[in-house]
Amino acid sequence: MRALLSDARIFFTLTLLCLLILFFDQINFLNLPKSLLQNLTIPIQFGFYKSSNALIHQFDFIFLSRRILQENKAMQKQLADLLIENTNLRSNLNDNQIIVDQQSSINPKTFNLLPARVIGSGRYLTIDRGSDDGITVDLAVVYRDTYIGLVTSVNPKTSQVTLSSDPDSRIAVFTQNNDGRSRGILSGQFGSEMLLDKILHQEVIGEGDLVYSEGTEGKLPRGLIMGKVSRVYDRRNEIFKQAVVKSIFNVNDLDLVFILRV
Amino acid sequence: MISLIVALFLLSFIQSSTLPGDWILIVLISRAFLRQDKYNYYLAFFFGLLNGFLLSEPLGFLALIYLLAIKITHTFKQFAPLSHWLLIVPLCLLLLLVEGLLRLIIFNMSLHFINIALESLMVLPIFLITRFWEERFVPKKEIRLKIGGK
């Protein structure tokens, strides 16, 4: 009986302590100690992250050897097709460059990019930039011209990024090919795939089309690459078409990403 | 105890940077299922704070979850002290579901049931390793035999 009471006392004391710490954290009272401690833990987290990636890559050859042979054959054929297409594109590029130069002088597009290291990945990506670097919630994270995710949680020295493949992610997007354009909502499906939904049947979309951000939510600029269409579901008895979109990059291969500070 | 603390420290960093999942919670539930002592509460409190700090979650939230999980495990063992060890799987599943539901209600984070089910299956090897470690390498208090004599 005495042991039970002692256990209950310890449990309630620790619970009260937790509630107190939670309260102080919510009013940002613990930012300074957290910031100081993160100077110690961030290098350790980064070390673990890099080591595990290196270890995983050691065993890649087991899975890749057969696939690489098949890819090699397909790539040789693709190279020949690309050389022909390259010649045609070069002549078009010259014409387009004149138009782009004209537009850039009237409406210049500049982004303030802040580089950040990836120190942890799982459902969310953890980066080593936080409120001390001017990072706020809802800033877009990109790699080259590709959208990676949105900052959803900020600490003094680290932030968490919700990836585009997360089910909580919903972004207005459009696709474009030679036959036309389509619009829809891109939502994450746990894993590396995303679902592009609410596509009208009369709009044109095909496998291999690139998916871009509309930029209507105000959080992202227009034209960021979201992924590539891998499958289209066009069922006439459904109101909308759907398409499966795959990421251009494997997020786990990224060491450095960039935060768009608008 | 020191080796357990060191292992939990390493596991915290691994959980936050490479292997996502509730591994710390599973280890704590395994230990609480084996031994119902006050140190489980201290471990839950401290590693809940550490995990919350490393995962950039509100400090104190994970510690509360872990304390609640330990309390529920202790209460379960109190009412069923001779329960079969396989019951840790549904217990772990229930506790992980409770955690997921709390995150859904408070932070509006989606619940991924498949991950929760897989993690609750992983409690089996973790529990067996913890049991092996506790039985073979953790010294217990001396058992004093009362030699009945006249």
Side-chain angles (χ1 to χ4, degrees):
Chain A
M1 190 65 182
R2 196 177 285 177
L4 278 173
L5 281 171
S6 165
D7 272 0
R9 196 175 15 217
I10 292 170
F11 173 72
F12 283 117
T13 308
L14 291 175
T15 306
L16 279 169
L17 258 175
C18 287
L19 290 168
L20 204 65
I21 290 170
L22 193 59
F23 171 71
F24 282 133
D25 190 43
Q26 292 304 303
I27 60 172
N28 296 326
F29 192 70
L30 300 173
N31 274 359
L32 179 62
K34 277 169 77 171
S35 175
L36 291 171
L37 215 56
Q38 276 170 346
N39 285 328
L40 183 65
T41 59
I42 285 171
I44 300 173
Q45 279 181 288
F46 182 68
F48 270 99
Y49 178 70
K50 289 294 287 178
S51 304
S52 72
N53 273 352
L55 191 66
I56 288 164
H57 285 316
Q58 293 303 315
F59 298 101
D60 277 349
F61 72 91
I62 297 171
F63 307 102
L64 289 178
S65 55
R66 199 172 70 163
R67 212 177 83 189
I68 285 170
L69 256 162
Q70 290 169 344
E71 277 183 2
N72 191 27
K73 268 189 193 173
M75 276 186 185
Q76 281 175 354
K77 183 183 175 306
Q78 198 180 25
L79 180 64
D81 295 337
L82 281 172
L83 282 171
I84 298 168
E85 193 183 341
N86 190 29
T87 313
N88 294 333
L89 282 172
R90 278 184 188 278
S91 67
N92 288 335
L93 182 66
N94 273 335
D95 298 337
N96 287 336
Q97 188 63 45
I98 297 165
I99 300 168
V100 165
D101 285 342
Q102 176 73 34
Q103 280 182 346
S104 66
S105 64
I106 296 168
N107 186 18
K109 193 167 68 171
T110 50
F111 296 112
N112 187 356
L113 290 171
L114 178 68
R117 270 188 313 176
V118 175
I119 59 170
S121 76
R123 178 174 172 179
Y124 302 101
L125 205 67
T126 309
I127 55 177
D128 69 343
R129 296 286 188 181
S131 53
D132 286 355
D133 305 293
I135 304 303
T136 55
V137 173
D138 281 347
L139 288 181
V141 177
V142 301
Y143 179 72
R144 295 189 187 167
D145 280 343
T146 306
Y147 173 78
I148 300 297
L150 214 61
V151 175
T152 48
S153 166
V154 180
N155 276 322
K157 291 240 184 305
T158 63
S159 303
Q160 278 201 329
V161 178
T162 299
L163 300 171
S164 54
S165 59
D166 192 283
D168 293 337
S169 168
R170 301 239 187 304
I171 298 168
V173 297
F174 69 94
T175 71
Q176 189 157 4
N177 57 28
N178 290 337
D179 299 321
R181 177 184 274 219
S182 67
R183 285 186 171 82
I185 305 291
L186 189 70
S187 51
Q189 308 281 309
F190 278 116
S192 61
E193 288 188 345
M194 297 163 274
L195 186 69
L196 178 51
D197 202 350
K198 309 279 189 283
I199 309 167
L200 296 174
H201 280 289
Q202 59 264 32
E203 288 178 343
V204 179
I205 183 169
E207 284 181 24
D209 288 353
L210 284 177
V211 181
Y212 303 91
S213 60
E214 278 270 30
T216 50
E217 291 103 349
K219 296 181 280 198
L220 316 176
R222 182 182 168 81
L224 284 179
I225 299 172
M226 307 300 292
K228 192 187 264 196
V229 176
S230 64
R231 271 195 313 280
V232 178
Y233 298 120
D234 188 357
R235 303 181 197 100
R236 286 290 148 185
N237 58 341
E238 301 275 339
I239 300 170
F240 297 109
K241 283 196 289 194
Q242 291 178 328
V244 174
V245 176
K246 283 202 169 160
S247 298
I248 306 286
F249 294 106
N250 183 357
V251 169
N252 293 324
D253 289 338
L254 298 176
D255 290 334
L256 203 67
V257 293
F258 296 89
I259 304 161
L260 274 176
R261 289 192 296 190
V262 180
Chain B
M1 180 59 77
I2 293 174
S3 51
L4 176 66
I5 291 171
V6 169
L8 285 171
F9 251 110
L10 287 171
L11 203 54
S12 294
F13 281 100
I14 290 171
Q15 179 176 325
S16 66
S17 55
T18 55
L19 202 63
D22 280 309
W23 308 116
I24 297 290
L25 180 59
I26 290 171
V27 171
L28 290 174
I29 291 170
S30 302
R31 192 178 187 274
F33 199 85
L34 279 166
R35 294 177 78 161
Q36 293 83 53
D37 59 22
K38 61 181 177 183
Y39 297 111
N40 291 326
Y41 292 113
Y42 295 129
L43 289 172
F45 174 74
F46 181 71
F47 285 102
L49 285 180
L50 179 63
N51 257 9
F53 170 73
L54 291 174
L55 293 169
S56 303
E57 295 197 6
L59 267 186
F61 173 72
L62 270 182
L64 269 173
I65 300 280
Y66 289 4
L67 280 170
L68 189 66
I70 298 300
K71 186 67 183 166
I72 291 173
T73 309
H74 281 191
T75 311
F76 173 79
K77 285 299 281 185
Q78 200 182 322
F79 286 110
L82 297 174
S83 53
H84 197 274
W85 62 272
L86 280 172
L87 281 173
I88 196 174
V89 177
L91 177 66
C92 189
L93 178 66
L94 175 71
L95 292 169
L96 289 172
L97 266 173
V98 166
E99 187 200 4
L101 284 168
L102 281 170
R103 283 178 194 277
L104 176 66
I105 292 165
I106 298 171
F107 301 119
N108 213 25
M109 277 166 56
S110 312
L111 191 64
H112 197 197
F113 187 73
I114 307 258
N115 272 359
I116 289 173
L118 286 171
E119 281 172 20
S120 60
L121 285 174
M122 286 305 294
V123 76
L124 278 172
I126 291 173
F127 173 76
L128 290 171
I129 291 168
T130 313
R131 187 162 106 170
F132 175 78
W133 184 266
E134 288 284 330
E135 285 175 359
R136 298 279 180 249
F137 296 103
V138 175
K140 302 228 184 344
K141 285 181 188 170
E142 267 185 78
I143 299 170
R144 293 187 177 198
L145 296 174
K146 185 179 176 183
I147 300 170
K150 290 182 180 169

